[in-house]
Amino acid sequence: MSRTTDVAVVGAGAYGLSVALWLRRRSSDLSVTVLDRGEFAANETGRCGAGFRVQWGTVGNTRLCLESLPDFESFAETYGHPDGVEFKQDGYVILAHTPAQLDQLRRNVALQNGLGIDSVLVDRDAIARLAPALALDGVLGGSFYGRDGSLSPFRVLDGYQRAARRAGVDVRHGVEVLSIAPLGDGFTLATSRGALAAGRVVVATDTRIPALLAPLGIDIPVQPYPNQAFVTEPLAPFLGPCVVSFQHEMFVNQTPRGSVVVVASDRERPLRSDFAPTSDLFPRAAARAIDLLPHLGSARLLRSWGGLYSRTPDMQAVIGETAVAGLFVALSGAKGLMTSPAAGRRLAALIDGEAPPDWFAQLSPARFAGGTLDPEPAIV
Ligand SMILES: Cc1cc2nc3c(=O)[nH]c(=O)nc-3n(C[C@H](O)[C@H](O)[C@H](O)COP(=O)(O)OP(=O)(O)OC[C@H]3O[C@@H](n4cnc5c(N)ncnc54)[C@H](O)[C@@H]3O)c2cc1C
């Protein structure tokens, strides 16, 4: 391969495919090439827990999700994907087990309400009505928003990839980008299939971003944080909304097909870059899951997988131009499925020369150079 393209996007996960698609939708005379070393969905997007919520505690995270919500609600039409994405909007309940957690949820709801989202604080009785299967020992209250929910990451990726190809994006799997070097007023990419010259480059390789940008002197602070997911056999519907419990370090969702997906974090685990499931976490996480949802005590496990959260210092996305002109970064900050429509669309606009709104400009990599960060408090 020895070719040229106007924009090269490295990474065909939710972030890379979304920005590539929106670039072509903005300017059909721009050639856009996406390169991914893996196969379809062999990435963090394919390993994620499928949750969508606008209930966050920072303006950046909340706005990215708020702008993405209509895309998922109209995915079939917006992305020409007739099967849709199995968007189940039974809401999200976020539980507080301590006064500090409840205060934080109160602040988050105030922020969300200020952005036009009618999320609410709920007491224990209301939670019991919303999700009768939950064990509420020690729960002081929570927050709820009815348009939150879950969706299929595979369908989202398939929708993006098909729409991108239809729009004229050249999406190539099985091509690893080995290095990126400035060349003239553009870049040259050394890949496992030869060189590619590009006018501009977007690096969307999530936790692997430093491997390509550090050699250029660009420091994007991201740490790979291992998480694990478990899924049960399909069960008769019993859960209703998705549930987040900080106390249990857990997200739980019953999919439209009946399986219960549990995503478990473990704050005691060391950061590391491999995503092999660990046998030590499972017994502890299973006990926590049964404590939260006693129904799971008799459920059979179908499979389990590990994955990496891209943890940034403020748990927000990093999206924008780096210190090298023409070289852009699109890093999810661990919620890249739900934020991908707005992240891709906004970054495409920025690359196309449109000035971003203030809140989006604040997600730029430049924020780490100084000033105070606005850390996301509502992450499990
Ligand atoms: C267990 C778990 C549960 C999660 N749950 C949720 C959830 O409920 N909701 C949510 O929104 N998010 C969730 N996340 C986070 C979400 O999965 C990620 O934020 C998102 O998938 C990141 O998307 P991406 O496109 O940036 O990265 P990816 O999907 O990982 O795509 C990056 C791509 O870059 C490619 N690549 C890497 N290096 C190179 C290279 N050198 N050359 C070419 N290609 C390369 C990889 O092959 C990969 O395909 C979860 C994550 C985990 C681990």
Side-chain angles (χ1 to χ4, degrees):
M1 179 171 77
S2 180
R3 325 173 30 249
T4 62
T5 186
D6 293 324
V7 184
V9 178
V10 190
Y15 262 39
L17 287 173
S18 177
V19 68
L21 166 63
W22 286 106
L23 273 168
R24 277 290 294 194
R25 283 196 174 175
R26 288 186 70 94
S27 354
S28 56
D29 53 352
L30 201 67
S31 58
V32 182
T33 305
V34 179
L35 303 175
D36 196 295
R37 67 180 184 183
E39 297 308 322
F40 173 75
N43 47 35
E44 295 314 317
T45 309
R47 284 190 276 270
C48 87
F52 174 92
R53 60 170 154 132
V54 299
Q55 291 183 78
W56 293 102
T58 64
V59 171
N61 284 335
T62 309
R63 278 204 181 273
L64 279 178
C65 289
L66 186 59
E67 285 196 5
S68 297
L69 179 57
D71 290 62
F72 292 131
E73 289 181 328
S74 69
F75 198 89
E77 303 80 51
T78 306
Y79 295 89
H81 195 257
D83 296 336
V85 285
E86 299 179 349
F87 195 14
K88 181 190 90 147
Q89 287 179 288
D90 288 344
Y92 243 78
V93 175
I94 304 185
L95 301 176
H97 286 80
T98 66
Q101 288 171 359
L102 195 56
D103 279 351
Q104 187 60 60
L105 290 184
R106 192 171 288 116
R107 286 193 291 277
N108 296 355
V109 166
L111 179 143
Q112 293 149 19
N113 292 171
L115 295 174
I117 299 162
D118 53 0
S119 53
V120 287
L121 273 185
V122 280
D123 63 17
R124 224 176 111 110
D125 291 345
I127 297 172
R129 284 192 297 276
L130 286 164
L134 286 178
L136 295 179
D137 305 340
V139 170
L140 302 181
S143 66
F144 179 74
Y145 184 55
R147 283 169 76 190
D148 286 345
S150 70
L151 67 172
S152 161
F154 304 103
R155 285 174 180 255
V156 170
L157 274 181
D158 187 49
Y160 286 164
Q161 180 156 293
R162 285 173 192 261
R165 283 187 165 144
R166 274 198 309 273
V169 177
D170 183 7
V171 183
R172 297 175 173 226
H173 288 275
V175 183
E176 182 168 14
V177 175
L178 306 170
S179 66
I180 301 168
L183 178 72
D185 56 1
F187 299 87
T188 180
L189 281 66
T191 85
S192 55
R193 303 272 178 89
L196 174 69
R200 282 166 290 178
V201 179
V202 179
V203 182
T205 55
D206 210 41
T207 58
R208 283 93 181 165
I209 281 173
L212 290 173
L213 295 189
L216 295 169
I218 301 167
D219 178 27
I220 302 293
V222 55
Q223 291 180 303
Y225 179 60
N227 257 258
Q228 196 150 328
F230 316 105
V231 59
T232 70
E233 62 187 348
L235 304 171
F238 71 96
L239 182 55
C242 299
V243 179
V244 166
S245 169
F246 302 115
Q247 187 83 357
H248 296 81
E249 296 177 57
M250 201 158 266
F251 158 74
V252 186
N253 169 37
Q254 186 170 26
T255 70
R257 294 162 197 265
S259 291
V260 176
V261 178
V262 178
V263 177
S265 344
D266 187 349
R267 292 181 196 120
E268 287 159 26
R269 295 173 93 191
L271 297 171
R272 44 163 228 231
S273 57
D274 78 281
F275 49 79
T278 49
S279 51
D280 70 306
L281 175 60
F282 179 66
R284 286 183 286 130
R288 280 191 263 142
I290 293 166
D291 183 56
L292 184 63
L293 260 187
H295 264 66
L296 294 183
S298 55
R300 275 184 299 207
L301 197 68
L302 216 54
R303 72 188 180 99
S304 162
W305 66 93
L308 298 171
Y309 268 18
S310 45
R311 196 159 83 168
T312 60
D314 54 8
M315 283 314 296
Q316 300 210 64
V318 186
I319 310 170
E321 194 164 18
T322 68
V324 176
L327 182 55
F328 296 81
V329 64
L331 166 65
S332 68
K335 53 205 91 55
L337 175 70
M338 62 181 92
T339 53
S340 55
R345 189 163 43 234
R346 287 275 177 202
L347 180 55
L350 182 74
I351 294 170
D352 200 26
E354 193 176 297
D358 276 357
W359 68 266
F360 189 76
Q362 282 160 17
L363 298 176
S364 113
R367 73 181 184 271
F368 299 113
T372 46
L373 298 176
D374 179 17
E376 171 58 59
I379 201 97
V380 228

PDB file of all heavy atoms in Angstrom, residues 217-248:
ATOM      1  N   GLY A 217       6.315  13.305  20.916  1.00  0.00           N
ATOM      2  CA  GLY A 217       6.409  14.255  22.023  1.00  0.00           C
ATOM      3  C   GLY A 217       5.050  14.717  22.527  1.00  0.00           C
ATOM      4  O   GLY A 217       4.962  15.696  23.258  1.00  0.00           O
ATOM      5  N   ILE A 218       3.983  14.013  22.125  1.00  0.00           N
ATOM      6  CA  ILE A 218       2.640  14.412  22.560  1.00  0.00           C
ATOM      7  C   ILE A 218       2.220  13.509  23.714  1.00  0.00           C
ATOM      8  O   ILE A 218       2.154  12.284  23.558  1.00  0.00           O
ATOM      9  CB  ILE A 218       1.629  14.280  21.395  1.00  0.00           C
ATOM     10  CG1 ILE A 218       2.067  15.166  20.237  1.00  0.00           C
ATOM     11  CG2 ILE A 218       0.225  14.625  21.863  1.00  0.00           C
ATOM     12  CD1 ILE A 218       1.335  14.885  18.952  1.00  0.00           C
ATOM     13  N   ASP A 219       1.935  14.143  24.847  1.00  0.00           N
ATOM     14  CA  ASP A 219       1.581  13.376  26.041  1.00  0.00           C
ATOM     15  C   ASP A 219       0.067  13.424  26.240  1.00  0.00           C
ATOM     16  O   ASP A 219      -0.488  14.464  26.584  1.00  0.00           O
ATOM     17  CB  ASP A 219       2.318  13.979  27.254  1.00  0.00           C
ATOM     18  CG  ASP A 219       1.943  13.252  28.538  1.00  0.00           C
ATOM     19  OD1 ASP A 219       1.589  12.054  28.442  1.00  0.00           O
ATOM     20  OD2 ASP A 219       1.987  13.887  29.607  1.00  0.00           O
ATOM     21  N   ILE A 220      -0.592  12.302  25.999  1.00  0.00           N
ATOM     22  CA  ILE A 220      -2.024  12.210  26.295  1.00  0.00           C
ATOM     23  C   ILE A 220      -2.141  11.295  27.508  1.00  0.00           C
ATOM     24  O   ILE A 220      -1.890  10.090  27.424  1.00  0.00           O
ATOM     25  CB  ILE A 220      -2.818  11.607  25.099  1.00  0.00           C
ATOM     26  CG1 ILE A 220      -2.614  12.433  23.826  1.00  0.00           C
ATOM     27  CG2 ILE A 220      -4.296  11.484  25.458  1.00  0.00           C
ATOM     28  CD1 ILE A 220      -3.195  13.825  23.861  1.00  0.00           C
ATOM     29  N   PRO A 221      -2.517  11.855  28.663  1.00  0.00           N
ATOM     30  CA  PRO A 221      -2.502  11.044  29.875  1.00  0.00           C
ATOM     31  C   PRO A 221      -3.695  10.087  29.943  1.00  0.00           C
ATOM     32  O   PRO A 221      -4.807  10.482  30.263  1.00  0.00           O
ATOM     33  CB  PRO A 221      -2.568  12.089  30.997  1.00  0.00           C
ATOM     34  CG  PRO A 221      -3.215  13.278  30.383  1.00  0.00           C
ATOM     35  CD  PRO A 221      -2.939  13.241  28.916  1.00  0.00           C
ATOM     36  N   VAL A 222      -3.439   8.842  29.609  1.00  0.00           N
ATOM     37  CA  VAL A 222      -4.512   7.835  29.689  1.00  0.00           C
ATOM     38  C   VAL A 222      -3.934   6.557  30.288  1.00  0.00           C
ATOM     39  O   VAL A 222      -2.826   6.156  29.940  1.00  0.00           O
ATOM     40  CB  VAL A 222      -5.146   7.563  28.299  1.00  0.00           C
ATOM     41  CG1 VAL A 222      -4.111   7.174  27.261  1.00  0.00           C
ATOM     42  CG2 VAL A 222      -6.228   6.498  28.388  1.00  0.00           C
ATOM     43  N   GLN A 223      -4.693   5.978  31.210  1.00  0.00           N
ATOM     44  CA  GLN A 223      -4.230   4.735  31.825  1.00  0.00           C
ATOM     45  C   GLN A 223      -5.233   3.628  31.526  1.00  0.00           C
ATOM     46  O   GLN A 223      -6.449   3.851  31.616  1.00  0.00           O
ATOM     47  CB  GLN A 223      -4.130   4.924  33.335  1.00  0.00           C
ATOM     48  CG  GLN A 223      -3.010   5.868  33.735  1.00  0.00           C
ATOM     49  CD  GLN A 223      -2.948   6.016  35.236  1.00  0.00           C
ATOM     50  OE1 GLN A 223      -3.929   6.394  35.866  1.00  0.00           O
ATOM     51  NE2 GLN A 223      -1.808   5.725  35.810  1.00  0.00           N
ATOM     52  N   PRO A 224      -4.734   2.446  31.207  1.00  0.00           N
ATOM     53  CA  PRO A 224      -5.648   1.328  30.975  1.00  0.00           C
ATOM     54  C   PRO A 224      -6.101   0.740  32.307  1.00  0.00           C
ATOM     55  O   PRO A 224      -5.284   0.305  33.105  1.00  0.00           O
ATOM     56  CB  PRO A 224      -4.783   0.315  30.199  1.00  0.00           C
ATOM     57  CG  PRO A 224      -3.372   0.678  30.499  1.00  0.00           C
ATOM     58  CD  PRO A 224      -3.318   2.081  31.008  1.00  0.00           C
ATOM     59  N   TYR A 225      -7.401   0.760  32.548  1.00  0.00           N
ATOM     60  CA  TYR A 225      -7.934   0.297  33.826  1.00  0.00           C
ATOM     61  C   TYR A 225      -8.789  -0.948  33.570  1.00  0.00           C
ATOM     62  O   TYR A 225      -9.831  -0.868  32.905  1.00  0.00           O
ATOM     63  CB  TYR A 225      -8.776   1.427  34.425  1.00  0.00           C
ATOM     64  CG  TYR A 225      -9.415   1.092  35.743  1.00  0.00           C
ATOM     65  CD1 TYR A 225      -8.636   0.751  36.846  1.00  0.00           C
ATOM     66  CD2 TYR A 225     -10.792   1.122  35.905  1.00  0.00           C
ATOM     67  CE1 TYR A 225      -9.229   0.446  38.060  1.00  0.00           C
ATOM     68  CE2 TYR A 225     -11.383   0.831  37.119  1.00  0.00           C
ATOM     69  CZ  TYR A 225     -10.602   0.488  38.189  1.00  0.00           C
ATOM     70  OH  TYR A 225     -11.191   0.193  39.389  1.00  0.00           O
ATOM     71  N   PRO A 226      -8.348  -2.101  34.067  1.00  0.00           N
ATOM     72  CA  PRO A 226      -9.062  -3.335  33.727  1.00  0.00           C
ATOM     73  C   PRO A 226     -10.447  -3.416  34.373  1.00  0.00           C
ATOM     74  O   PRO A 226     -10.601  -3.124  35.553  1.00  0.00           O
ATOM     75  CB  PRO A 226      -8.150  -4.453  34.258  1.00  0.00           C
ATOM     76  CG  PRO A 226      -7.106  -3.802  35.055  1.00  0.00           C
ATOM     77  CD  PRO A 226      -7.179  -2.330  34.902  1.00  0.00           C
ATOM     78  N   ASN A 227     -11.400  -3.777  33.574  1.00  0.00           N
ATOM     79  CA  ASN A 227     -12.773  -4.000  34.016  1.00  0.00           C
ATOM     80  C   ASN A 227     -13.201  -5.365  33.518  1.00  0.00           C
ATOM     81  O   ASN A 227     -12.620  -5.895  32.573  1.00  0.00           O
ATOM     82  CB  ASN A 227     -13.691  -2.958  33.381  1.00  0.00           C
ATOM     83  CG  ASN A 227     -14.069  -1.886  34.361  1.00  0.00           C
ATOM     84  OD1 ASN A 227     -15.160  -1.896  34.895  1.00  0.00           O
ATOM     85  ND2 ASN A 227     -13.154  -0.970  34.599  1.00  0.00           N
ATOM     86  N   GLN A 228     -14.239  -5.890  34.126  1.00  0.00           N
ATOM     87  CA  GLN A 228     -14.671  -7.204  33.696  1.00  0.00           C
ATOM     88  C   GLN A 228     -16.185  -7.242  33.553  1.00  0.00           C
ATOM     89  O   GLN A 228     -16.902  -6.606  34.331  1.00  0.00           O
ATOM     90  CB  GLN A 228     -14.232  -8.240  34.725  1.00  0.00           C
ATOM     91  CG  GLN A 228     -14.302  -9.641  34.176  1.00  0.00           C
ATOM     92  CD  GLN A 228     -13.258 -10.539  34.818  1.00  0.00           C
ATOM     93  OE1 GLN A 228     -12.175 -10.085  35.190  1.00  0.00           O
ATOM     94  NE2 GLN A 228     -13.567 -11.805  34.932  1.00  0.00           N
ATOM     95  N   ALA A 229     -16.653  -7.986  32.552  1.00  0.00           N
ATOM     96  CA  ALA A 229     -18.094  -8.110  32.347  1.00  0.00           C
ATOM     97  C   ALA A 229     -18.484  -9.582  32.423  1.00  0.00           C
ATOM     98  O   ALA A 229     -17.696 -10.464  32.069  1.00  0.00           O
ATOM     99  CB  ALA A 229     -18.479  -7.526  30.991  1.00  0.00           C
ATOM    100  N   PHE A 230     -19.684  -9.834  32.912  1.00  0.00           N
ATOM    101  CA  PHE A 230     -20.232 -11.181  32.967  1.00  0.00           C
ATOM    102  C   PHE A 230     -21.619 -11.125  32.344  1.00  0.00           C
ATOM    103  O   PHE A 230     -22.315 -10.130  32.512  1.00  0.00           O
ATOM    104  CB  PHE A 230     -20.420 -11.682  34.400  1.00  0.00           C
ATOM    105  CG  PHE A 230     -19.277 -11.386  35.309  1.00  0.00           C
ATOM    106  CD1 PHE A 230     -19.367 -10.389  36.263  1.00  0.00           C
ATOM    107  CD2 PHE A 230     -18.112 -12.110  35.209  1.00  0.00           C
ATOM    108  CE1 PHE A 230     -18.307 -10.109  37.105  1.00  0.00           C
ATOM    109  CE2 PHE A 230     -17.045 -11.841  36.054  1.00  0.00           C
ATOM    110  CZ  PHE A 230     -17.140 -10.832  37.008  1.00  0.00           C
ATOM    111  N   VAL A 231     -22.017 -12.187  31.678  1.00  0.00           N
ATOM    112  CA  VAL A 231     -23.382 -12.199  31.146  1.00  0.00           C
ATOM    113  C   VAL A 231     -24.038 -13.537  31.471  1.00  0.00           C
ATOM    114  O   VAL A 231     -23.414 -14.591  31.357  1.00  0.00           O
ATOM    115  CB  VAL A 231     -23.405 -11.866  29.633  1.00  0.00           C
ATOM    116  CG1 VAL A 231     -22.600 -12.827  28.810  1.00  0.00           C
ATOM    117  CG2 VAL A 231     -24.805 -11.749  29.119  1.00  0.00           C
ATOM    118  N   THR A 232     -25.299 -13.461  31.908  1.00  0.00           N
ATOM    119  CA  THR A 232     -26.022 -14.694  32.274  1.00  0.00           C
ATOM    120  C   THR A 232     -26.778 -15.230  31.072  1.00  0.00           C
ATOM    121  O   THR A 232     -26.947 -14.538  30.058  1.00  0.00           O
ATOM    122  CB  THR A 232     -27.058 -14.427  33.379  1.00  0.00           C
ATOM    123  OG1 THR A 232     -28.117 -13.634  32.821  1.00  0.00           O
ATOM    124  CG2 THR A 232     -26.433 -13.722  34.573  1.00  0.00           C
ATOM    125  N   GLU A 233     -27.289 -16.428  31.224  1.00  0.00           N
ATOM    126  CA  GLU A 233     -28.237 -16.950  30.237  1.00  0.00           C
ATOM    127  C   GLU A 233     -29.471 -16.030  30.234  1.00  0.00           C
ATOM    128  O   GLU A 233     -29.701 -15.309  31.215  1.00  0.00           O
ATOM    129  CB  GLU A 233     -28.646 -18.364  30.642  1.00  0.00           C
ATOM    130  CG  GLU A 233     -29.359 -18.351  31.993  1.00  0.00           C
ATOM    131  CD  GLU A 233     -29.659 -19.734  32.544  1.00  0.00           C
ATOM    132  OE1 GLU A 233     -29.516 -20.709  31.793  1.00  0.00           O
ATOM    133  OE2 GLU A 233     -30.026 -19.820  33.720  1.00  0.00           O
ATOM    134  N   PRO A 234     -30.281 -16.066  29.136  1.00  0.00           N
ATOM    135  CA  PRO A 234     -31.483 -15.221  29.119  1.00  0.00           C
ATOM    136  C   PRO A 234     -32.444 -15.609  30.251  1.00  0.00           C
ATOM    137  O   PRO A 234     -32.680 -16.786  30.498  1.00  0.00           O
ATOM    138  CB  PRO A 234     -32.105 -15.512  27.751  1.00  0.00           C
ATOM    139  CG  PRO A 234     -30.974 -16.031  26.921  1.00  0.00           C
ATOM    140  CD  PRO A 234     -30.066 -16.769  27.864  1.00  0.00           C
ATOM    141  N   LEU A 235     -32.966 -14.596  30.952  1.00  0.00           N
ATOM    142  CA  LEU A 235     -33.912 -14.802  32.052  1.00  0.00           C
ATOM    143  C   LEU A 235     -35.194 -14.042  31.710  1.00  0.00           C
ATOM    144  O   LEU A 235     -35.164 -13.082  30.939  1.00  0.00           O
ATOM    145  CB  LEU A 235     -33.332 -14.237  33.354  1.00  0.00           C
ATOM    146  CG  LEU A 235     -31.959 -14.773  33.788  1.00  0.00           C
ATOM    147  CD1 LEU A 235     -31.409 -13.958  34.964  1.00  0.00           C
ATOM    148  CD2 LEU A 235     -32.047 -16.243  34.170  1.00  0.00           C
ATOM    149  N   ALA A 236     -36.305 -14.463  32.301  1.00  0.00           N
ATOM    150  CA  ALA A 236     -37.555 -13.704  32.092  1.00  0.00           C
ATOM    151  C   ALA A 236     -37.324 -12.270  32.587  1.00  0.00           C
ATOM    152  O   ALA A 236     -36.606 -12.068  33.575  1.00  0.00           O
ATOM    153  CB  ALA A 236     -38.679 -14.352  32.890  1.00  0.00           C
ATOM    154  N   PRO A 237     -37.906 -11.261  31.907  1.00  0.00           N
ATOM    155  CA  PRO A 237     -37.647  -9.870  32.306  1.00  0.00           C
ATOM    156  C   PRO A 237     -37.989  -9.649  33.785  1.00  0.00           C
ATOM    157  O   PRO A 237     -39.064 -10.018  34.234  1.00  0.00           O
ATOM    158  CB  PRO A 237     -38.596  -9.051  31.426  1.00  0.00           C
ATOM    159  CG  PRO A 237     -38.968  -9.966  30.305  1.00  0.00           C
ATOM    160  CD  PRO A 237     -38.844 -11.377  30.793  1.00  0.00           C
ATOM    161  N   PHE A 238     -37.056  -9.074  34.547  1.00  0.00           N
ATOM    162  CA  PHE A 238     -37.337  -8.808  35.956  1.00  0.00           C
ATOM    163  C   PHE A 238     -36.692  -7.521  36.450  1.00  0.00           C
ATOM    164  O   PHE A 238     -37.046  -7.006  37.502  1.00  0.00           O
ATOM    165  CB  PHE A 238     -36.855  -9.968  36.852  1.00  0.00           C
ATOM    166  CG  PHE A 238     -35.343 -10.065  36.965  1.00  0.00           C
ATOM    167  CD1 PHE A 238     -34.679  -9.494  38.038  1.00  0.00           C
ATOM    168  CD2 PHE A 238     -34.593 -10.698  35.992  1.00  0.00           C
ATOM    169  CE1 PHE A 238     -33.294  -9.562  38.139  1.00  0.00           C
ATOM    170  CE2 PHE A 238     -33.212 -10.766  36.085  1.00  0.00           C
ATOM    171  CZ  PHE A 238     -32.555 -10.198  37.157  1.00  0.00           C
ATOM    172  N   LEU A 239     -35.747  -6.948  35.666  1.00  0.00           N
ATOM    173  CA  LEU A 239     -34.957  -5.857  36.241  1.00  0.00           C
ATOM    174  C   LEU A 239     -35.519  -4.466  35.942  1.00  0.00           C
ATOM    175  O   LEU A 239     -35.554  -3.604  36.801  1.00  0.00           O
ATOM    176  CB  LEU A 239     -33.498  -5.965  35.764  1.00  0.00           C
ATOM    177  CG  LEU A 239     -32.550  -4.913  36.325  1.00  0.00           C
ATOM    178  CD1 LEU A 239     -32.572  -4.909  37.851  1.00  0.00           C
ATOM    179  CD2 LEU A 239     -31.120  -5.149  35.845  1.00  0.00           C
ATOM    180  N   GLY A 240     -35.944  -4.228  34.699  1.00  0.00           N
ATOM    181  CA  GLY A 240     -36.386  -2.870  34.341  1.00  0.00           C
ATOM    182  C   GLY A 240     -35.193  -1.997  34.020  1.00  0.00           C
ATOM    183  O   GLY A 240     -34.422  -2.278  33.100  1.00  0.00           O
ATOM    184  N   PRO A 241     -34.976  -0.904  34.778  1.00  0.00           N
ATOM    185  CA  PRO A 241     -33.900   0.033  34.423  1.00  0.00           C
ATOM    186  C   PRO A 241     -32.505  -0.566  34.600  1.00  0.00           C
ATOM    187  O   PRO A 241     -32.328  -1.536  35.339  1.00  0.00           O
ATOM    188  CB  PRO A 241     -34.105   1.185  35.417  1.00  0.00           C
ATOM    189  CG  PRO A 241     -34.921   0.641  36.529  1.00  0.00           C
ATOM    190  CD  PRO A 241     -35.729  -0.493  35.978  1.00  0.00           C
ATOM    191  N   CYS A 242     -31.540   0.041  33.939  1.00  0.00           N
ATOM    192  CA  CYS A 242     -30.139  -0.248  34.237  1.00  0.00           C
ATOM    193  C   CYS A 242     -29.836   0.309  35.622  1.00  0.00           C
ATOM    194  O   CYS A 242     -30.464   1.278  36.062  1.00  0.00           O
ATOM    195  CB  CYS A 242     -29.213   0.443  33.241  1.00  0.00           C
ATOM    196  SG  CYS A 242     -29.445  -0.066  31.538  1.00  0.00           S
ATOM    197  N   VAL A 243     -28.866  -0.280  36.293  1.00  0.00           N
ATOM    198  CA  VAL A 243     -28.555   0.124  37.663  1.00  0.00           C
ATOM    199  C   VAL A 243     -27.061   0.359  37.813  1.00  0.00           C
ATOM    200  O   VAL A 243     -26.248  -0.446  37.329  1.00  0.00           O
ATOM    201  CB  VAL A 243     -28.989  -0.973  38.664  1.00  0.00           C
ATOM    202  CG1 VAL A 243     -28.631  -0.557  40.100  1.00  0.00           C
ATOM    203  CG2 VAL A 243     -30.481  -1.250  38.553  1.00  0.00           C
ATOM    204  N   VAL A 244     -26.714   1.472  38.466  1.00  0.00           N
ATOM    205  CA  VAL A 244     -25.317   1.715  38.849  1.00  0.00           C
ATOM    206  C   VAL A 244     -25.264   1.765  40.368  1.00  0.00           C
ATOM    207  O   VAL A 244     -26.071   2.457  40.996  1.00  0.00           O
ATOM    208  CB  VAL A 244     -24.809   3.062  38.280  1.00  0.00           C
ATOM    209  CG1 VAL A 244     -23.503   3.480  38.943  1.00  0.00           C
ATOM    210  CG2 VAL A 244     -24.609   2.959  36.770  1.00  0.00           C
ATOM    211  N   SER A 245     -24.328   1.019  40.946  1.00  0.00           N
ATOM    212  CA  SER A 245     -24.094   1.112  42.390  1.00  0.00           C
ATOM    213  C   SER A 245     -22.613   1.369  42.628  1.00  0.00           C
ATOM    214  O   SER A 245     -21.774   0.525  42.314  1.00  0.00           O
ATOM    215  CB  SER A 245     -24.520  -0.181  43.091  1.00  0.00           C
ATOM    216  OG  SER A 245     -24.053  -0.157  44.433  1.00  0.00           O
ATOM    217  N   PHE A 246     -22.301   2.556  43.167  1.00  0.00           N
ATOM    218  CA  PHE A 246     -20.899   2.854  43.494  1.00  0.00           C
ATOM    219  C   PHE A 246     -20.433   1.929  44.616  1.00  0.00           C
ATOM    220  O   PHE A 246     -19.288   1.504  44.649  1.00  0.00           O
ATOM    221  CB  PHE A 246     -20.742   4.319  43.928  1.00  0.00           C
ATOM    222  CG  PHE A 246     -21.209   5.298  42.887  1.00  0.00           C
ATOM    223  CD1 PHE A 246     -22.303   6.118  43.114  1.00  0.00           C
ATOM    224  CD2 PHE A 246     -20.568   5.382  41.662  1.00  0.00           C
ATOM    225  CE1 PHE A 246     -22.747   6.996  42.142  1.00  0.00           C
ATOM    226  CE2 PHE A 246     -21.005   6.278  40.690  1.00  0.00           C
ATOM    227  CZ  PHE A 246     -22.099   7.072  40.933  1.00  0.00           C
ATOM    228  N   GLN A 247     -21.341   1.635  45.532  1.00  0.00           N
ATOM    229  CA  GLN A 247     -21.002   0.765  46.659  1.00  0.00           C
ATOM    230  C   GLN A 247     -20.535  -0.607  46.166  1.00  0.00           C
ATOM    231  O   GLN A 247     -19.607  -1.187  46.693  1.00  0.00           O
ATOM    232  CB  GLN A 247     -22.257   0.592  47.526  1.00  0.00           C
ATOM    233  CG  GLN A 247     -22.042  -0.142  48.806  1.00  0.00           C
ATOM    234  CD  GLN A 247     -21.514   0.823  49.867  1.00  0.00           C
ATOM    235  OE1 GLN A 247     -21.271   1.992  49.573  1.00  0.00           O
ATOM    236  NE2 GLN A 247     -21.327   0.319  51.057  1.00  0.00           N
ATOM    237  N   HIS A 248     -21.221  -1.107  45.139  1.00  0.00           N
ATOM    238  CA  HIS A 248     -20.879  -2.439  44.613  1.00  0.00           C
ATOM    239  C   HIS A 248     -19.868  -2.353  43.480  1.00  0.00           C
ATOM    240  O   HIS A 248     -19.490  -3.374  42.923  1.00  0.00           O
ATOM    241  CB  HIS A 248     -22.149  -3.151  44.121  1.00  0.00           C
ATOM    242  CG  HIS A 248     -23.141  -3.441  45.208  1.00  0.00           C
ATOM    243  ND1 HIS A 248     -24.016  -2.476  45.686  1.00  0.00           N
ATOM    244  CD2 HIS A 248     -23.382  -4.560  45.922  1.00  0.00           C
ATOM    245  CE1 HIS A 248     -24.756  -3.003  46.652  1.00  0.00           C
ATOM    246  NE2 HIS A 248     -24.388  -4.257  46.813  1.00  0.00           N
TER     247      HIS A 248
END
